[in-house]
């Protein structure tokens, strides 16, 4: 059922019913979906709508869903992926607030009540997000609130968008959010080209335009399991998920690079301090975008942005500011061994140190921090060796032409 521009659905009903719609897309999770639905139905503040999209499941998911009778609304479609399933359900829901939940996770009983209370108390906020527990298949559903909690910092509003962009993994999964419908209507539906990272894409679009509010409590639990991921036409096993996720994430950030103005990469509080300085916002913006591209594995884009920054620096002759030095350090900082960029990237930034020696100290400092972190945290020795190897590559690149 499609929504018209005036907010009405095709049958004339309006998207203005008070309360919460919980929407779940599911595919071949008959062994898990029941625990998820039970947790949603056990809320202290019940959902006004619980819509489940059976995305062409070939197991007995349909039979499991029928057991819930009229307590849930079932939409059945041909297998099209999570984005397609959610795009089908969102326009058909009527509540003012939307929670998009996964078919293998668990809601804690006070989840919806807490989120709704925060949204109602803060009309300036577009969506709320919260902490979560992490559990595996050895944990019974009634014990998930005893498992470890994934901590989240309370990021200020001017820095929130950049925090989302710089995070290697999405720090605010949609299962832990409650979103005003008006915000979803303004940013548009999910990208159907994505079979992974569709949540990352949507959260970035929301964070770009609306304020978020953190709830400092764990209100849901993320299940870690070895089952298959993705739709039937593009599925993969748990041990293949990193490669699939990385490819889709890079699609998301390539699209972002093409659509977001360079000034938007500068946090608003920093932009206020730079507005009187010629080219300062441009310089910071290109460096910040380069850092984001490097973090997400797009090393050629990162180098292009670094070159643009260096050209601008040559034009205006202003020294590298302390804030810029911090960003340059991040270009070389290793978040984790499996997120490391290829050696050719570190050699390339090493070469740039020859013509722009001012960037060498912060680049080397970034790798020094990586190595120090690995020593302090007693991480896998491979991570430390990788930091030291990259450090040597940058140093040699700064001394020798290709």
């Amino acid at each position: 059922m499609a929504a018209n521009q005036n907010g009405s659905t095709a049958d004339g009903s309006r998207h203005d019913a008070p309360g919460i719609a919980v929407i779940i897309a599911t595919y071949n999770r008959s062994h898990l979906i029941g625990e998820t639905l039970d947790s949603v139905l056990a809320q202290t503040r019940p959902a006004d709508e619980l819509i489940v999209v059976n995305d062409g499941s070939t197991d007995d998911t349909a039979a499991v869903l029928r057991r819930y009778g009229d307590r849930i609304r079932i939409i059945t479609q041909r297998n099209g992926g999570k984005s397609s399933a959610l795009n089908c359900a969102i326009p058909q829901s009527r509540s003012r607030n939307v929670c998009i939940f996964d078919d293998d996770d668990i809601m804690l009983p006070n989840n919806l009540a807490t989120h709704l209370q925060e949204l109602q108390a803060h009309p300036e906020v577009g969506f709320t997000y919260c902490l979560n527990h992490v559990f595996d298949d050895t944990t019974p559903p009634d014990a998930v609130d005893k498992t470890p909690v994934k901590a989240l910092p309370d990021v200020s509003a001017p820095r929130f968008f950049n925090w989302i962009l710089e995070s290697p993994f999405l720090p605010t999964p949609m299962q832990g959010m409650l979103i005003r419908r008006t915000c979803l209507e303004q940013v548009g539906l999910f990208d159907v080209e994505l079979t992974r990272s569709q949540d990352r894409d949507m959260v970035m679009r929301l964070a770009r335009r609306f304020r978020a509010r953190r709830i400092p409590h764990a209100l849901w639990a993320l299940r870690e399991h070895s089952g298959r991921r993705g739709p039937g036409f593009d599925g993969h096993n748990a041990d293949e998920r990193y490669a699939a996720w990385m490819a889709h994430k890079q699609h998301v950030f390539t699209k972002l690079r093409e659509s977001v103005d360079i000034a938007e990469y500068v946090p608003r509080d920093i932009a206020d301090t730079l507005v009187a300085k010629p080219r300062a916002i441009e310089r910071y913006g290109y460096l910040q975008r380069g850092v984001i591209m490097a973090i997400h594995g797009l090393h050629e884009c990162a180098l292009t942005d670094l070159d643009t920054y260096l050209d601008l620096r040559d034009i205006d002759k202003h020294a590298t500011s302390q804030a810029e030095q911090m960003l340059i350090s991040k270009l070389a900082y290793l978040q984790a061994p499996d997120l490391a960029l290829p050696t050719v990237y570190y050699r390339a930034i090493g070469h740039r140190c020859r013509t722009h020696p001012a960037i060498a100290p912060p680049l080397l400092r970034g790798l020094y921090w990586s190595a120090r972190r690995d020593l302090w945290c007693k991480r896998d020795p491979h991570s430390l060796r990788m930091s030291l190897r990259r450090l040597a590559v940058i140093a040699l690149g700064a001394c020798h032409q290709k």
Side-chain angles (χ1 to χ4, degrees), residues 29 81-83 102 104 169 190-202 225 227-231 233-238 240-252 255:
R29 291 273 173 82
K82 181 179 177 181
S83 294
D102 274 5
D104 54 355
F169 305 95
F190 285 85
D191 184 347
V192 294
E193 293 184 12
L194 298 171
T195 58
R196 296 286 295 172
S197 291
Q198 57 273 95
D199 289 7
R200 158 78 80 167
D201 179 60
M202 177 59 76
H225 60 92
R228 283 184 65 80
R229 272 79 169 169
F233 60 86
D234 190 24
H236 52 275
N237 295 323
E240 302 169 320
R241 63 181 176 177
Y242 179 80
W245 161 78
M246 194 66 175
H248 284 86
K249 186 177 76 157
Q250 289 182 349
H251 170 82
V252 169
K255 183 174 68 172

Side-chain angles (χ1 to χ4, degrees), residues 338-400:
D338 52 354
L339 295 174
L341 292 165
T343 301
V344 65
Y345 166 77
Y346 294 93
R347 186 179 298 119
I349 58 177
H351 290 321
R352 283 155 175 81
C353 294
R354 295 201 68 203
T355 53
H356 296 84
I359 68 171
L363 285 170
L364 296 174
R365 197 177 304 127
L367 282 172
Y368 165 76
W369 288 339
S370 303
R372 182 174 177 177
R373 173 208 61 202
D374 294 339
L375 281 171
W376 186 262
C377 298
K378 297 182 180 179
R379 284 193 174 186
D380 181 352
H382 173 64
S383 180
L384 176 59
R385 288 195 299 271
M386 187 174 290
S387 295
L388 295 175
R389 188 178 304 122
R390 299 304 195 257
L391 185 68
V393 167
I394 289 181
L396 289 172
C399 297
H400 301 285

Side-chain angles (χ1 to χ4, degrees), residues 266-302:
V266 185
R268 292 192 298 276
D269 57 336
I270 292 179
D272 290 342
T273 68
L274 301 177
V275 68
K277 302 176 183 177
R279 301 188 185 276
I281 289 180
E282 266 190 292
R283 282 172 47 153
Y284 191 100
Y286 279 107
L287 265 184
Q288 177 68 79
R289 191 174 73 177
V291 167
I292 292 165
M293 296 301 124
I295 287 171
H296 300 291
L298 296 165
H299 68 278
E300 293 182 355
C301 294

